[in-house]
Amino acid sequence: MNVKLSTVSDKKMDLTCSACGHNFSYKIADLILATSDDTTTHEVRQRAVCRGCGARGNNTYVIV
Ligand SMILES: [Zn+2]
């Protein structure tokens, strides 16, 4: 699934780190403020840094 943030602006993105299993989430509305509504969820996934172990882009995600 690869969608523009603008199409899911009322939802959340839940990520799970593949390295340590840490769960974290972002409000899509906050991601749009931090990036742009043209950004895709896939780009966010690649940039996301785990707060548990510091791994970048090593995660899975769901839009909820
Ligand atoms: Zn981690």
Side-chain angles (χ1 to χ4, degrees), residues 27 32 36:
K27 284 185 187 170
I32 291 172
S36 78

Side-chain angles (χ1 to χ4, degrees), residues 19-32:
C20 74
H22 182 70
N23 290 296
F24 52 112
S25 68
Y26 300 116
K27 284 185 187 170
I28 302 290
D30 290 343
L31 292 173
I32 291 172

Side-chain angles (χ1 to χ4, degrees), residues 33-45:
L33 289 176
T35 59
S36 78
D37 57 10
D38 256 357
T39 304
T40 63
T41 53
H42 181 67
E43 289 171 325
V44 172
R45 186 196 77 80

Side-chain angles (χ1 to χ4, degrees), residues 16-22 24 49-55 58:
T16 302
C17 178
S18 298
C20 74
H22 182 70
F24 52 112
V49 176
C50 173
R51 291 171 204 155
C53 71
N58 187 6

